Amino acid sequence: MRAWISAFAGITALAALAVPAEAAGDPFRELPANVRTFLTAYTAWGEDPRDVDAYLDLFVSDGSARLWDSGLQRPIDTPEGIRAQIEGVNRLVPDYRFVPEEATASPDGKVAFVEARNTGTVNGKAVSFRTTHRLVFGDREPARVQDGRRSWDQVELFEPVADAQHPLPGLFDGIASSPGDPRPGVELPTAVRQQLWQREKSGALVAGNAGTASLSGPGLAAPITGRASLTAYLDRFFGKVSELRLQPGVTVRSGDTTYQEWLGTATAHGGGDARPIPFAVVERTGPQRWSLRFDTLDLVASRETVTVLRERIFG
């Protein structure tokens, strides 16, 4: 049943924009040439998501492409697996739509981070959720994807089928903006930031951003501002996870924007049912802006609830 979730990684790990789509002219113009070439092929496929062969052509041709997803123990790493997943998505979500909103690529075109909006209907229920994707392009085929990873909050997909017996409580309900302040952010080396995540140091992580910066993340309908609110947000997160062991993954810097991927494991405490899980966080930092992408499903739901809700969606 997790296979379909993995399939969405296959779709949404394959889209990128250099600038917001509404920008005048060619929206891909600021990306390296190989990424623009890839995007041309992706856009053509996007006009007909049922064209599975065109979708497979977006990946390196030697069969070594890999796709990762939130909560996935192992990647999808065969052409047959990728084909099966996209066919499954077409059956389950015939009205699926993917709207890339913005992206940042490394100057050499090796890596891109993408943020996107996903919508469709699952089991008669409308769903809409945001995703962040890390794409690594092939060395021999630089306009095709070698390795893609999607980070997103699965709660956004499961909410339509939750109920009182199997709830998905809002981890960040009630957190609103607090007064800002003029203090600048304190830039922290990656190794220091890694330790702060692992030691659950909310205040120090927040201090790495300007006092007037906004935070976007799972469970927030709109960005929040104010260091007190940002700290409360991280305190909520750390209250539902322990033994966070993260290693730095891919880093992409372009202008004033930085994406940092963190990969590892954690102990989740959803429903009072502690269990080890794979875990990833993607941070985006930039002037007056901080965003996080991670999965809260196992942080708010018991194993039983997760199992029941998967069955309701996937049968």
Side-chain angles (χ1 to χ4, degrees):
M1 286 179 285
R2 186 177 289 272
W4 181 82
I5 298 291
S6 305
F8 252 113
I11 291 180
T12 57
L14 295 176
L17 285 173
V19 294
E22 66 271 15
D26 179 7
F28 307 143
R29 66 184 181 276
E30 294 183 7
L31 287 174
N34 66 300
V35 184
R36 295 198 305 270
T37 299
F38 165 78
L39 284 166
T40 299
Y42 171 79
T43 302
W45 171 78
E47 294 175 358
D48 180 15
R50 300 283 179 172
D51 189 344
V52 175
D53 289 334
Y55 177 73
L56 293 174
D57 284 343
L58 298 172
F59 300 89
V60 292
S61 61
D62 64 1
S64 65
R66 302 192 307 173
L67 297 174
W68 297 85
D69 201 8
S70 292
L72 195 64
Q73 297 283 349
R74 296 179 301 277
I76 305 170
D77 58 3
T78 66
E80 296 78 15
I82 293 172
R83 176 180 289 275
Q85 299 307 323
I86 190 60
E87 289 174 343
V89 169
N90 281 329
R91 286 192 301 270
L92 186 62
V93 194
D95 62 342
Y96 174 71
R97 291 295 181 268
F98 175 85
V99 181
E101 296 180 336
E102 53 188 315
T104 298
S106 59
D108 60 6
K110 295 286 189 182
V111 186
F113 277 89
V114 181
E115 299 192 39
R117 170 66 59 182
N118 305 259
T119 59
T121 305
V122 176
N123 199 28
K125 303 285 187 177
V127 295
S128 176
F129 53 95
R130 291 181 58 81
T131 49
T132 297
H133 321 274
R134 185 268 292 141
L135 307 175
V136 177
F137 296 97
D139 290 331
R140 295 182 179 179
E141 298 177 281
R144 293 182 172 183
V145 170
Q146 177 71 62
D147 188 281
R149 180 183 292 270
R150 180 180 68 158
S151 295
W152 63 302
D153 186 10
Q154 296 181 75
V155 165
E156 295 177 290
L157 179 67
F158 284 80
E159 278 180 329
V161 295
D163 57 24
Q165 288 72 42
H166 300 94
L168 291 175
L171 180 55
F172 303 108
D173 287 354
I175 295 180
S177 294
S178 58
D181 62 66
R183 287 177 293 174
V186 179
E187 187 171 353
L188 301 171
T190 301
V192 173
R193 203 155 183 88
Q194 176 190 8
Q195 291 300 311
L196 295 177
W197 276 109
Q198 296 189 155
R199 295 178 183 178
E200 304 181 9
K201 299 297 184 181
S202 302
L205 285 166
V206 170
N209 302 273
T212 53
S214 67
L215 172 65
S216 301
L220 297 176
I224 58 173
T225 57
R227 285 187 170 174
S229 295
L230 273 57
T231 301
Y233 183 91
L234 288 186
D235 285 343
R236 289 272 188 94
F237 167 71
F238 288 130
K240 288 293 186 178
V241 69
S242 62
E243 299 178 289
L244 197 58
R245 298 291 179 264
L246 298 176
Q247 297 295 323
V250 172
T251 304
V252 168
R253 295 183 177 88
S254 180
D256 294 328
T257 299
T258 298
Y259 279 88
Q260 177 63 60
E261 180 184 50
W262 301 102
L263 305 173
T265 61
T267 296
H269 297 270
D273 180 12
R275 69 272 196 186
I277 59 169
F279 201 74
V281 178
V282 175
E283 284 191 275
R284 172 180 173 163
T285 55
Q288 307 303 314
R289 178 176 176 181
W290 183 28
S291 67
L292 300 172
R293 191 70 58 207
F294 55 87
D295 185 12
T296 69
L297 182 62
D298 287 300
L299 309 189
V300 301
S302 67
R303 273 179 280 205
E304 178 191 7
T305 290
V306 172
T307 299
V308 168
L309 298 186
R310 286 192 192 286
E311 181 67 24
R312 289 177 181 174
I313 289 179
F314 306 122

